[in-house]
Amino acid sequence: MLHVLYLVHDLCDPATARRVAMLQAGGAHVTLAGFRRGALPTFDGIAPIDLGMTGDRAFAQRLIAVGKAAIMLGARLKGLMKPDIVVARNLEMLALANRVHALFGANVPIVYECLDIHRLLLDEGAVGKAMRGAERFLGRNAALLVTSSPAFVREYFEARGQSHAPVMLLENKVLELSGGAGQPMRAASPPAEGEAWRIGWFGALRCARSLALLAAFTRATQGRFEVVLRGRPAHVEFDNFDGFVAAEPHMRFEGPYRNPQDLPAIYGEVHFSWAIDFFEAGMNSDWLLPNRLYEGCRFGAVPLAMQGTETGRFLAGHGIGLLLDRPEAEPLTALLEDMTAGRYAALSEAVAVHKPETWVCDAAECRALVERMKGVAGGAWARTPVEAAA
């Protein structure tokens, strides 16, 4: 059985539990270690190794935490059976993965899992150059780069020469291991007379510009549309998230939800899924293929995205969804104001005809992931000349 040491920057991130479940479903034994942003969560069959607390946007504090963790890592991993492979999620954990080399030997391959490109990595000043240099240095021993969008590879890793490792694309699909992926999920019914069309914005809520845009749009359409928000707001990114939403007549925040248990219910009550993010416009936000894209389509919601982004290109390629050309209330109103039951039926049917595996990661995909890592652990990869010289 493949033994994976999985190093994560946030044990509390739902994506951590999802990746652990994928590795376990694929047949791997997982040792989990990482930092956290809240109370230490529980995992099925795993007692995570807690490396301490870090904070959102606390870059200096996180650097110090990584330094301390590197010093104490030997003690924290004492008695651990040598892993076959170490997976480092994000740059800060890549530094610790290199420390694992010193503890267990350089024959433990490193997989660099990068699902977001932090804005500091794209800074053109001294900080950005230093971080990119650190990433190239720390990633020189990476045997595999795992990422979730081809745009990350095209626009960053290749464009800036950040990695020469083989690439595995692992999309942010909905994890379904019960064997029900073949069951079609239908969209919510059109609203009854006098009721509103509903737009769902679910997940990590961090985009103040989206919040303002949706508020202006729902006011402009005088309640014909309402916005339902669920998930984890990044309060540091908003002046007053709770107060702003409470003051909006056509917007409501329904709190956190369980992923994946609650996904059918929460998407089943909305007609459209907000797959737009301006948090890092022109950079990460334009390149990512977010969880909510796959979740919304899996459960029948019609996706809304921006033209010119990777999400927009993805939707256009599949012939689904609606694309906004400018991030303003007026063009969003023009895009949606003539919505009818017939138009909506056509839009939702275009989503429904796609095979579930377009949106779903099943047990077979989990096994393929672990098999790829077994190949890496067994030496089934070769350094490029650049890596060999590093």
Side-chain angles (χ1 to χ4, degrees), residues 180-355:
Q183 301 172 4
M185 301 288 181
R186 307 304 298 185
S189 299
E193 184 69 28
E195 294 183 352
W197 294 95
R198 292 182 296 277
I199 299 173
W201 181 18
F202 304 148
L205 309 177
R206 59 182 184 175
C207 180
R209 190 174 181 183
S210 284
L211 190 66
L213 172 56
L214 288 167
F217 163 71
T218 55
R219 285 178 178 266
T221 54
Q222 300 179 331
R224 283 194 63 221
F225 290 82
E226 71 170 0
V227 174
V228 183
L229 303 102
R230 295 179 186 267
R232 301 191 304 170
H235 289 283
V236 295
E237 302 298 341
F238 301 94
D239 291 334
N240 180 6
F241 176 85
D242 295 322
F244 184 94
V245 174
E248 288 301 317
H250 312 299
M251 185 177 284
R252 51 190 168 94
F253 176 55
E254 297 294 331
Y257 57 91
R258 297 171 302 163
N259 189 333
Q261 298 94 318
D262 295 338
L263 294 180
I266 66 174
Y267 280 101
E269 72 170 20
V270 300
H271 304 97
F272 303 93
S273 172
W274 187 255
I276 294 175
D277 181 11
F278 306 109
F279 179 65
E280 292 175 338
M283 299 182 289
N284 191 72
S285 294
D286 286 6
W287 302 337
L288 55 74
L289 293 174
N291 294 317
R292 58 177 65 96
L293 165 65
Y294 300 90
E295 293 170 356
C297 291
R298 171 59 176 140
F299 299 108
V302 176
L304 301 171
M306 283 296 303
Q307 288 184 8
T309 65
E310 192 69 12
T311 301
R313 284 186 284 272
F314 180 94
L315 295 181
H318 285 80
I320 60 175
L322 293 170
L323 300 181
L324 181 64
D325 61 355
R326 299 195 323 277
E328 300 168 6
E330 183 178 347
L332 182 58
T333 301
L335 187 66
L336 292 173
E337 66 179 349
D338 64 345
M339 189 59 57
T340 63
R343 184 185 176 204
Y344 172 69
L347 289 168
S348 60
E349 181 62 23
V351 175
V353 297
H354 284 75
K355 295 180 179 179

Side-chain angles (χ1 to χ4, degrees), residues 29-209:
H29 170 71
V30 181
T31 297
L32 177 64
F35 300 103
R36 54 187 170 87
R37 306 283 171 86
L40 187 66
T42 58
F43 296 86
D44 186 18
I46 295 179
I49 299 169
D50 182 12
L51 299 180
M53 181 86 78
T54 57
D56 287 333
R57 295 175 66 178
F59 181 64
Q61 185 261 336
R62 285 163 63 181
L63 278 179
I64 294 171
V66 169
K68 290 180 178 178
I71 295 171
M72 68 179 185
L73 196 61
R76 302 310 304 271
L77 300 181
K78 186 177 181 180
L80 179 69
M81 181 180 67
K82 182 177 180 179
D84 299 305
I85 196 166
V86 56
V87 179
R89 188 181 182 107
N90 284 10
L91 177 56
E92 57 213 270
M93 308 316 292
L94 187 58
L96 294 185
N98 279 268
R99 174 64 177 148
V100 171
H101 266 188
L103 295 172
F104 291 104
N107 61 338
V108 179
I110 294 174
V111 173
Y112 180 26
E113 182 181 28
C114 183
L115 307 184
D116 287 291
I117 309 298
H118 195 281
R119 58 183 176 271
L120 287 179
L121 283 165
L122 298 164
D123 178 76
E124 296 302 335
V127 172
K129 290 177 181 178
M131 288 190 65
R132 288 191 297 276
E135 184 179 54
R136 287 192 296 269
F137 176 77
L138 295 171
R140 72 196 187 283
N141 294 319
L144 184 68
L145 170 66
V146 173
T147 192
S148 57
S149 170
F152 290 152
V153 180
R154 183 180 68 246
E155 303 291 342
Y156 177 71
F157 286 106
E158 289 182 349
R160 292 181 178 267
Q162 289 302 110
S163 176
H164 300 282
V167 176
M168 181 178 186
L169 184 65
L170 197 61
E171 296 171 88
N172 289 314
K173 295 181 181 181
V174 180
L175 181 61
E176 293 185 10
L177 301 175
S178 61
Q183 301 172 4
M185 301 288 181
R186 307 304 298 185
S189 299
E193 184 69 28
E195 294 183 352
W197 294 95
R198 292 182 296 277
I199 299 173
W201 181 18
F202 304 148
L205 309 177
R206 59 182 184 175
C207 180
R209 190 174 181 183

